[in-house]
Amino acid sequence: METRNHNEILEQKVHLEWSYWDKDISVSHFPVLWNNKVVINIHWTYGSGTGSNNKYLNFSEQLQKDEVASSVMYKSSRVEMEDDETLWRYENKQRKFVWKTFSDELEDARRVLVDTIQNSENRFWVSPNELEITLNGNSLGGIIAFYLANEFPQVKNISTVGTWFRKEQTNIPILDTFPEAEELSEQLKGFKWNFMMHYGSEDNVFSPESFRELYEGAENAEKSFIHLIWVDHGFWKVWGDVSKKPYQEVYSSISTLVEQWKLSSWEENLLSVVQNSQSEVKHNIDQALMDKYFVPDDEDDLNLG
């Protein structure tokens, strides 16, 4: 196990045997000792451990800083190969998952969960039976979360970020083996704890109907819905501009759920929030500059005569 201690953040890295090809599963734990709550982040299709703009890393570190819960993030198994400079970024990602199936991706996540539970006493100083696990699934990761929740009784909460119900993209690795609707419906119905769905209005990957079907399909869960206007599928852009605000909203809702056992529901226009925030920062900077350069002290008054 590798350990990184930086800026009051303790990260413990382990490598698990792969379920697919030759690249192992790289797992990072951010422990909060004697806290029985654990949040496991499941990345989207072809995702990395840290996420776009380091959103998963920032999310995991903040959970530890605030002592909300121990957190876990991972990078699933894939083919070890160099990028082809003639291809665009997403095509290079697909190449590393050729012939990988949904079952393979599910197995990677299962191994992470099993390892987390079996080693909870060593990593978190909490027994496996005392764990309360929240799965935060991004896009495809949300579907995987429902499968795992019905297998492991320690899972009490599911949060999804940009997760859909229907298979709308078929001819790409992993998604070409996506479960049929009947099987998926059974998984959704089987979950009876807390379910919180995050959806961005500018999601151009899947239809609003598909998100609605997911929400309504979890008919036996206690659930809530958070709708963020002008936010993209990956929850890292607002109106096309890179922003940390969308995933900060995810963090806020999940921390409330984990700490207070309270589901949050709201709709928010993040474009106005970001613009207001930027305006406030700009005002503060402008005021500081004004104070520094254009508010005379006694000596300035003398110099000015």
Side-chain angles (χ1 to χ4, degrees):
M1 182 174 64
E2 306 167 33
T3 300
R4 176 179 71 95
N5 201 326
H6 178 68
N7 290 337
E8 298 182 357
I9 294 296
L10 175 62
E11 178 183 1
Q12 298 173 340
K13 288 188 176 183
V14 297
H15 298 275
L16 306 179
E17 184 179 356
W18 60 88
S19 66
Y20 163 82
W21 218 265
D22 56 2
K23 181 73 172 175
D24 59 14
I25 307 167
S26 177
V27 188
S28 291
H29 297 87
F30 300 84
V32 178
L33 300 183
W34 296 296
N35 189 329
N36 70 327
K37 298 174 175 60
V38 179
V39 177
I40 299 178
N41 191 73
I42 307 174
H43 62 65
W44 61 353
T45 316
Y46 320 137
S48 67
T50 58
S52 306
N53 204 27
N54 282 334
K55 61 184 180 183
Y56 302 153
L57 177 61
N58 294 334
F59 172 80
S60 296
E61 289 183 343
Q62 196 64 48
L63 286 167
Q64 186 188 66
K65 283 182 180 178
D66 294 343
E67 299 185 345
V68 171
S70 296
S71 56
V72 180
M73 65 182 193
Y74 72 96
K75 182 178 181 179
S76 61
S77 60
R78 58 200 69 199
V79 178
E80 185 71 68
M81 66 168 62
E82 296 294 328
D83 286 345
D84 184 339
E85 295 181 359
T86 66
L87 301 176
W88 64 300
R89 182 169 174 264
Y90 198 66
E91 289 175 319
N92 271 310
K93 282 179 173 288
Q94 288 185 21
R95 290 172 66 235
K96 298 175 182 179
F97 293 85
V98 171
W99 301 310
K100 189 174 189 182
T101 66
F102 173 82
S103 294
D104 292 331
E105 196 73 2
L106 175 59
E107 179 59 25
D108 279 358
R110 181 182 289 113
R111 293 183 185 190
V112 172
L113 194 52
V114 168
D115 176 74
T116 300
I117 293 171
Q118 289 182 346
N119 292 285
S120 65
E121 290 184 331
N122 292 331
R123 293 200 185 113
F124 315 129
W125 297 4
V126 176
S127 71
N129 293 333
E130 294 176 315
L131 289 177
E132 292 182 5
I133 295 176
T134 297
L135 300 179
N136 182 48
N138 300 267
S139 195
L140 177 69
I143 299 300
I144 289 174
F146 279 96
Y147 277 76
L148 296 177
N150 291 321
E151 184 176 345
F152 296 92
Q154 291 91 342
V155 178
K156 306 300 184 185
N157 304 310
I158 290 178
S159 161
T160 61
V161 182
T163 297
W164 69 99
F165 176 81
R166 277 182 277 157
K167 179 172 61 177
E168 300 179 15
Q169 295 188 9
T170 57
N171 298 320
I172 58 177
I174 299 178
L175 294 186
D176 57 3
T177 55
F178 194 72
E180 295 299 328
E182 290 185 5
E183 177 184 331
L184 182 53
S185 293
E186 290 304 309
Q187 295 296 327
L188 297 179
K189 291 177 183 177
F191 185 63
K192 299 178 181 179
W193 292 91
N194 297 315
F195 167 42
M196 186 162 54
M197 184 171 80
H198 301 82
Y199 167 60
S201 70
E202 300 308 294
D203 191 313
N204 60 358
V205 179
F206 300 101
S207 67
E209 291 78 13
S210 184
F211 287 95
R212 185 172 63 247
E213 288 181 41
L214 176 76
Y215 188 75
E216 294 176 349
E219 59 186 42
N220 295 313
E222 295 291 327
K223 55 189 177 180
S224 66
F225 175 45
I226 297 172
H227 183 212
L228 301 183
I229 302 171
W230 297 112
V231 171
D232 70 324
H233 175 70
F235 269 60
W236 71 295
K237 290 183 179 180
V238 178
W239 207 37
D241 293 328
V242 174
S243 172
K244 293 183 179 181
K245 185 61 179 176
Y247 229 81
Q248 288 172 349
E249 294 294 306
V250 174
Y251 174 82
S252 175
S253 60
I254 289 180
S255 60
T256 298
L257 175 59
V258 170
E259 288 189 305
Q260 303 178 27
W261 203 255
K262 178 181 177 183
L263 289 163
S264 303
S265 295
W266 71 76
E267 180 177 81
E268 188 169 9
N269 185 338
L270 282 200
L271 179 61
S272 63
V273 170
V274 170
Q275 287 178 333
N276 289 341
S277 175
Q278 290 172 341
S279 297
E280 181 179 352
V281 171
K282 184 178 185 302
H283 169 74
N284 291 339
I285 293 174
D286 288 348
Q287 190 61 54
L289 290 173
M290 289 287 287
D291 291 344
K292 181 174 182 180
Y293 294 111
F294 298 107
V295 179
D297 56 22
D298 293 341
E299 185 176 353
D300 290 328
D301 285 334
L302 294 175
N303 291 335
L304 289 170

